[in-house]
Amino acid sequence: MKTADGETSEAELSAESGSLSKAETAYRWIRRRIAEQTFEPGHKLVLAQIALELDTSVVPVREAIRRLEADGLVTFERNVGARVAMVDQSSYAQSMEAVAILEGAATAQALEFLTEDDLAEAEAINERMRSLLDDFDPTEFTRLNHEFHAALFRRCPNERLHSLVAVEWDRLAHLRNSTFSFVPERALGSVDEHARIVALIRARASADEIERVVRGHRSATLHSYQEAQAKTTEREEDKS
């Protein structure tokens, strides 16, 4: 079973551990805990402790840490060791822009492989999101939002592109638990745009159009957030 962001769940990771390299297992295990904020920003990653938890040596854990450092999720300092990267607010816009581009491309590439079941699943998820609008839960809404998009691009044949989307999703989760906590008014527009995306896929719109619409959809959420932050800054400056 895959999680909302298309990554392997804890149960599946355990079941597949025999087929994964030890370094890959460690990488997924640590990254999952960063995404879930079990390991919060600044958390020290003790290699020996993680190795013990995973019943392995520190060598594959060290390799996993290097990969996570390249992903921007972990920092390493001499005489200090590895820590979960602190939140860099300026990185949020860059990650959102990256998700917009990568997810748009991944969805476009998945088009010819999508089934009726995939589209029905996406529509059902979107209806669950719509049902949350009256009694809004931003965290659950964000989780379902990831599930919706994953349903549309998970059949992307480009595995590298798929993994890049997952990395950026993890980075966003590290930076913001839920964007919709800051811009709840964006939720209705997001749900309506989801419905339009599925309708375009059903109407056999071109890959170029789907890529453009998905990218615009993600970018609209970023713009809403940026506008809200700008207004907050203005209010704080007026008070000072």
Side-chain angles (χ1 to χ4, degrees), residues 67-85:
R67 287 180 60 189
L68 290 161
E69 185 179 10
D71 291 343
L73 296 174
V74 167
T75 59
F76 187 88
E77 296 179 40
R78 187 180 297 276
N79 300 322
V80 175
R83 294 183 183 275
V84 177

Side-chain angles (χ1 to χ4, degrees), residues 72-113:
L73 296 174
V74 167
T75 59
F76 187 88
E77 296 179 40
R78 187 180 297 276
N79 300 322
V80 175
R83 294 183 183 275
V84 177
M86 299 301 292
V87 174
D88 178 4
Q89 303 297 348
S90 65
S91 295
Y92 175 77
Q94 294 179 19
S95 284
M96 280 292 285
E97 288 170 355
V99 166
I101 295 169
L102 295 168
E103 203 170 88
T107 304
Q109 288 193 23
L111 285 181
E112 62 180 295
F113 304 101

